[in-house]
């Protein structure tokens, strides 16, 4: 399989290196990743702006490049700029979770939506932590399930995978589930004159999040959530379609 790998943490991240090393044993891997951290860039694209595209020596046996754009730029450029023959796009392994409503902010997940928009299946993979990442354990967990996960990819949706940052022996399994609501102790602190920074820590899920991705990862399951790139709700449309103005 020809796989395009990207991320939003940048080409130098430990997560993308770990993912490339897993995939290269069985697949033809090409990496196009941002030249720096682009976390939280969501579906952002670079319009009316020159993008620098350079080769990058990342891992033996894998062709890698950097792009001075966003994660979505990386995917779009690979698929329609270079016209690469790609069967699947995988983004990750992200440094941090992409659970519930956080997918709206995520450059990782939204780069996969860009792949779907271009007619290519996609998978987003994230490590559920905010530091002290156990990528060796994450890799071991992923290796156990990756072949089965690959058998369920589709251009119609992205498989959003979140892996708890724990030892493999503590993982209880994989749960296919809906996205929940991620809550944080968010607040802004003043860092200097006229400057502020958003900080916060995740709040453990309440019983309202039972059987969602937020719930399962806190219970040491790998969560697998199919998410779609097209907006809209059929039930709401049916309710409003006959409204007269």
């Amino acid at each position: 399989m020809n796989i395009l790998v990207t991320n939003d943490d940048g080409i130098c991240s430990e997560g993308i290196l770990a993912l490339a090393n897993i995939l290269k044993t069985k697949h033809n891997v090409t990496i196009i990743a941002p030249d720096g951290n682009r976390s939280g860039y969501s579906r952002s694209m670079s319009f009316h702006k020159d993008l620098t595209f350079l080769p990058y020596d990342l891992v033996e046996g894998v062709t890698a490049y950097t792009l001075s754009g966003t994660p979505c730029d990386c995917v779009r450029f690979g698929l329609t700029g270079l016209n690469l023959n790609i069967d699947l796009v995988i983004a990750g392994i992200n440094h941090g979770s992409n659970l519930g409503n956080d997918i709206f902010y995520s450059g990782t997940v939204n780069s996969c939506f860009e792949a779907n928009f271009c007619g290519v299946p996609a998978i987003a993979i994230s490590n559920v932590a905010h530091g002290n990442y156990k990528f060796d354990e994450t890799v071991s967990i992923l290796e156990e399930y990756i072949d089965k996960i690959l058998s369920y990819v589709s251009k119609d949706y992205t498989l959003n995978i979140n892996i708890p940052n724990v030892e493999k022996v503590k993982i209880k399994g994989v749960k296919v589930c809906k996205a929940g609501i991620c809550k944080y102790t968010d607040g802004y602190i003043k860092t200097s004159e006229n400057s502020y920074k958003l900080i916060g820590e995740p709040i453990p899920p309440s019983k309202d999040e039972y059987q969602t991705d937020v719930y399962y990862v806190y219970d040491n399951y790998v969560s697998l959530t199919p998410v779609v790139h097209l907006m809209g709700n059929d039930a709401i449309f049916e309710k409003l379609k006959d409204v007269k103005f």
Side-chain angles (χ1 to χ4, degrees), residues 46-101:
S46 300
F47 298 107
H48 312 295
K49 178 181 179 181
D50 291 340
L51 296 175
T52 301
F53 179 65
L54 295 171
Y56 192 90
D57 185 12
L58 184 66
V59 58
E60 185 177 355
V62 173
T63 302
Y65 305 94
T66 63
L67 190 72
S68 61
T70 69
C72 286
D73 285 328
C74 292
V75 171
R76 178 61 72 97
F77 184 71
L79 297 179
T80 66
L82 298 179
N83 293 312
L84 297 176
N85 179 26
I86 296 298
D87 303 304
L88 175 69
V89 169
I90 303 183
I93 300 168
N94 191 62
H95 290 231
S97 63
N98 279 304
L99 296 164
N101 48 297

Side-chain angles (χ1 to χ4, degrees), residues 91-216:
I93 300 168
N94 191 62
H95 290 231
S97 63
N98 279 304
L99 296 164
N101 48 297
D102 280 354
I103 65 174
F104 292 106
Y105 310 111
S106 168
T108 302
V109 179
N110 280 276
S111 69
C112 291
F113 287 162
E114 190 65 25
N116 292 157
F117 185 76
C118 294
V120 177
I123 302 173
I125 304 172
S126 302
N127 176 294
V128 182
H130 293 271
N132 299 316
Y133 303 102
K134 297 180 173 69
F135 277 112
D136 289 344
E137 297 292 339
T138 303
V139 165
S140 181
I141 296 164
L142 189 58
E143 284 176 329
E144 180 171 342
Y145 299 113
I146 189 65
D147 287 342
K148 188 166 186 178
I149 289 168
L150 290 176
S151 68
Y152 288 98
V153 298
S154 170
K155 64 181 178 59
D156 297 323
Y157 54 77
T158 286
L159 294 178
N160 185 36
I161 298 168
N162 283 273
I163 302 174
N165 188 51
V166 298
E167 293 79 9
K168 183 180 178 181
V169 294
K170 294 182 179 180
I171 294 294
K172 298 178 180 179
V174 177
K175 291 288 187 179
V176 178
C177 53
K178 295 181 178 180
I181 301 294
C182 252
K183 297 180 180 179
Y184 295 86
T185 59
D186 283 347
Y188 289 87
I189 61 169
K190 191 169 185 176
T191 55
S192 63
E193 187 66 27
N194 302 322
S195 295
Y196 295 82
K197 180 186 291 186
L198 175 63
I199 62 169
E201 296 293 332
I203 298 173
S206 67
K207 62 181 180 180
D208 295 334
E209 298 309 312
Y210 180 62
Q211 293 186 334
T212 68
D213 57 353
V214 179
Y215 170 84
Y216 280 124

